[in-house]
Amino acid sequence: MLTTLKTAALIIATLVLLPMAAPAQDKPSGPERKLFDSANHERKELGLAPLQWDAALASAAQGHAETMAQHNAISHQFPGEPDFSRRTRDAGAHFTIIAENVAVGPDADEIHDAWMKSPGHRRNLLDPELTALGVSVVKRDGQLFAVEDFSRAMIALSLKDQEGKVSAQLRAKRLQVLQDSADARRACKGGILPAAGRPQFVLRYSVSSLDILPTPLQQKIGTRRYKTAAVGACPSEDEKGFDTYKVAVILFE
């Protein structure tokens, strides 16, 4: 079993860059609980923040664990199966980073111990950038097929809420923010702005967090040349399923 688990580690290291199943649990139990608690125990020992249980990730993990049990093999993707990022997205997860551990073993303790001895799996378990975890275990012929799906979770915000977060930061820097976001939303989508009253500076950007304004924008504001701003958000379209906020800020003198 350990050799199989080490083989999986080689696969996961490259990743990070079906019968009808029962619904995934809102809270883990049984071997899923054991693996979840073991992961957070390891993180606590190193002073890392605990991972939060994510039902959407657990749902994605459950579907893949069922598929592994059907094939009686471990892999991150089987023929005809969506890739990892699409599986997690389809399950309803919102993320900016994702990672996955897979294994087969006789019990949860041995699986966890083997993951911790494998550089690729251990890196996922102890990655401080990851914040959420969903686990699923399926039993077949006395063996446990286990999947851990990790992510850095992202809060889903409406376009108006995204604009509000950016606008608040601009106001804190003494800029007046226009109520009309139509031109800025058009700029966010790559549209052409009206010729009349052409803005002095336009920045379009995609970020995973709206807590800090981008450096180029802060530099422009720091010149004190600009007095007014318009903010527009638009849907982010990442075909691989990764979530980002997409925003445009227009600065006027």
Side-chain angles (χ1 to χ4, degrees):
M1 286 304 104
L2 190 57
T3 301
T4 302
L5 290 166
K6 286 183 177 178
T7 300
L10 296 177
I11 299 172
I12 189 63
T14 63
L15 242 188
V16 178
L17 137 196
L18 297 179
M20 185 65 70
Q25 303 172 59
D26 289 335
K27 293 183 178 180
S29 61
E32 288 91 351
R33 181 80 205 186
K34 178 66 176 178
L35 290 171
F36 180 74
D37 287 346
S38 295
N40 278 333
H41 174 75
E42 303 289 357
R43 293 173 72 91
K44 183 178 180 180
E45 288 292 301
L46 295 177
L48 299 173
L51 296 164
Q52 301 301 310
W53 179 259
D54 189 300
L57 292 176
S59 179
Q62 182 175 347
H64 189 57
E66 292 276 352
T67 301
M68 292 200 307
Q70 286 180 347
H71 286 80
N72 196 25
I74 60 171
S75 173
H76 291 288
Q77 185 177 14
F78 292 92
E81 183 186 30
D83 66 21
F84 172 40
S85 63
R86 182 50 57 190
R87 293 197 307 267
T88 50
R89 182 65 175 234
D90 288 347
H94 295 274
F95 51 84
T96 58
I97 304 172
I98 50 173
E100 180 174 81
N101 286 349
V102 298
V104 58
D107 56 58
D109 285 331
E110 183 166 324
I111 288 172
H112 176 75
D113 289 345
W115 275 338
M116 286 300 295
K117 293 174 183 175
S118 161
H121 292 99
R122 180 185 177 91
R123 187 179 306 117
N124 290 337
L125 284 159
L126 302 180
D127 188 340
E129 294 296 312
L130 297 172
T131 61
L133 172 62
V135 186
S136 183
V137 176
V138 173
K139 187 173 183 179
R140 174 179 174 175
D141 299 332
Q143 294 285 83
L144 301 183
F145 290 82
V147 178
E148 289 184 330
D149 282 348
F150 305 82
S151 79
R152 179 172 182 171
M154 176 176 169
I155 300 174
L157 297 174
S158 67
L159 297 183
K160 184 176 181 180
D161 287 342
Q162 293 174 45
E163 293 165 357
K165 285 182 70 70
V166 176
S167 295
Q169 294 175 72
L170 294 174
R171 291 191 185 99
K173 293 185 177 294
R174 302 180 182 277
L175 287 172
Q176 178 185 354
V177 180
L178 301 177
Q179 293 296 318
D180 187 353
S181 62
D183 284 347
R185 286 191 174 187
R186 189 179 303 112
C188 183
K189 296 176 182 178
I192 299 175
L193 297 175
R198 179 177 292 276
Q200 299 295 318
F201 177 75
V202 179
L203 179 67
R204 302 179 183 89
Y205 60 96
S206 296
V207 291
S208 59
S209 172
L210 295 173
D211 292 337
I212 301 176
L213 296 173
T215 299
L217 184 57
Q218 293 194 52
Q219 291 173 340
K220 287 292 184 181
I221 295 171
T223 65
R224 301 183 182 278
R225 174 182 175 185
Y226 305 98
K227 308 300 181 184
T228 307
V231 180
C234 57
S236 175
E237 298 177 358
D238 189 315
E239 60 185 21
K240 291 187 178 296
F242 290 89
D243 283 300
T244 58
Y245 301 114
K246 190 175 180 182
V247 181
V249 174
I250 307 174
L251 299 180
F252 305 87
E253 289 188 359

